[in-house]
Amino acid sequence: MAVTRIHQFLLVIFMIIGLTTMKIDTTLGQHPNSSRILSHCWSITNFIVYCSFYISNRHPMFDAPNERCCKYARKTNIKLFCEKLVTDKDIIYSSYKVVDLARYCDNPLPVGTKCG
């Protein structure tokens, strides 16, 4: 049980580092001027931090998420989350659980998207 929590904690840390450093302008060494990209990164990071238990492949059944998770699920572009972080093999996050969570939190994915 402790190994699973440590694994999830390290995964979240690596994801936060990756999301906060992506799209760096290498010529100037600065983040892009677009605040929209940064807001997407922060919303996805918050979604991962507060909802990773509910969409993880480690837990066999879908549990109804708490209100804090739903708060960030409503703010997040879950379609972008699916495109970037959910793989075809569902190694870390279950695409079925992501779809169920999005539907439960009133932010359903359009039919035909990668997770939906």
Side-chain angles (χ1 to χ4, degrees):
M1 186 69 157
V3 174
T4 302
R5 290 186 186 254
I6 292 171
H7 178 267
Q8 289 177 345
F9 178 75
L10 290 175
L11 178 67
V12 169
I13 295 298
F14 286 125
M15 300 266 314
I16 289 171
I17 291 169
L19 288 172
T20 56
T21 58
M22 73 182 203
K23 299 278 186 181
I24 293 178
D25 185 2
T26 56
T27 57
L28 298 175
Q30 298 174 353
H31 287 283
N33 292 332
S34 175
S35 63
R36 186 184 68 169
I37 293 172
L38 291 176
S39 69
H40 282 305
C41 290
W42 281 113
S43 67
I44 288 175
T45 303
N46 285 329
F47 176 71
I48 291 169
V49 168
Y50 293 109
C51 299
S52 64
F53 174 77
Y54 303 105
I55 60 176
S56 172
N57 260 346
R58 301 278 182 199
H59 192 63
M61 301 294 291
F62 176 74
D63 289 334
N66 60 16
E67 184 55 38
R68 193 171 203 180
C69 172
C70 278
K71 173 183 162 187
Y72 288 107
R74 284 185 214 107
K75 292 180 182 180
T76 302
N77 184 354
I78 297 179
K79 182 180 173 185
L80 180 66
F81 171 79
C82 287
E83 290 173 3
K84 300 293 183 186
L85 300 173
V86 177
T87 63
D88 293 335
K89 296 180 182 177
D90 288 343
I91 296 171
I92 299 169
Y93 300 115
S94 169
S95 59
Y96 297 113
K97 289 181 184 179
V98 172
V99 171
D100 286 342
L101 184 129
R103 190 177 302 131
Y104 181 86
C105 294
D106 298 325
N107 187 9
L109 289 165
V111 177
T113 59
K114 185 173 180 181
C115 286

Coordinates of all heavy atoms in Angstrom, one line a residue, residues 22 24 36 64 68 70 87 91 97:
M22 N 7.1 22.5 -20.0 CA 6.9 22.2 -21.4 C 6.6 23.5 -22.2 O 6.2 24.5 -21.6 CB 5.7 21.3 -21.7 CG 4.3 21.8 -21.4 SD 3.2 20.4 -21.7 CE 1.7 21.4 -22.1
I24 N 9.0 25.5 -23.5 CA 9.9 26.6 -23.2 C 10.6 27.1 -24.5 O 11.0 26.3 -25.3 CB 11.0 26.0 -22.2 CG1 10.3 25.7 -20.9 CG2 12.1 27.0 -22.0 CD1 11.2 25.1 -19.8
R36 N -2.6 31.3 -21.7 CA -3.6 30.2 -22.0 C -2.9 28.9 -21.8 O -3.4 28.0 -21.2 CB -4.2 30.3 -23.3 CG -5.3 29.3 -23.6 CD -5.8 29.5 -25.0 NE -4.7 29.0 -25.8 CZ -4.8 28.8 -27.1 NH1 -5.9 28.9 -27.7 NH2 -3.8 28.3 -27.8
A64 N -17.1 7.1 -6.8 CA -17.6 8.5 -7.0 C -16.6 9.5 -6.4 O -16.2 9.4 -5.3 CB -18.9 8.7 -6.4
R68 N -14.0 18.2 -4.4 CA -12.8 19.0 -4.8 C -12.3 18.4 -6.1 O -11.9 19.2 -7.0 CB -11.8 18.8 -3.7 CG -10.6 19.7 -3.9 CD -9.7 19.7 -2.7 NE -9.0 20.9 -2.6 CZ -8.1 21.1 -1.6 NH1 -7.9 20.3 -0.7 NH2 -7.5 22.3 -1.6
C70 N -14.2 17.0 -8.4 CA -15.1 17.5 -9.4 C -14.9 19.0 -9.8 O -15.1 19.4 -10.9 CB -16.6 17.3 -9.0 SG -17.1 15.6 -9.3
T87 N -2.6 6.9 -22.5 CA -2.0 6.1 -23.6 C -3.0 5.0 -24.0 O -4.0 4.8 -23.3 CB -0.7 5.4 -23.2 OG1 -1.0 4.5 -22.1 CG2 0.3 6.4 -22.8
I91 N -1.8 2.5 -19.1 CA -0.8 2.0 -18.1 C -1.0 2.7 -16.8 O -1.0 2.1 -15.8 CB 0.7 2.3 -18.7 CG1 0.9 1.5 -19.9 CG2 1.7 2.0 -17.6 CD1 2.2 1.8 -20.7
K97 N -12.3 5.2 -16.8 CA -12.5 6.0 -15.5 C -12.5 7.5 -15.8 O -13.2 8.2 -15.1 CB -11.5 5.6 -14.5 CG -11.6 4.2 -14.0 CD -10.6 3.9 -12.9 CE -10.7 2.4 -12.4 NZ -9.7 2.1 -11.4

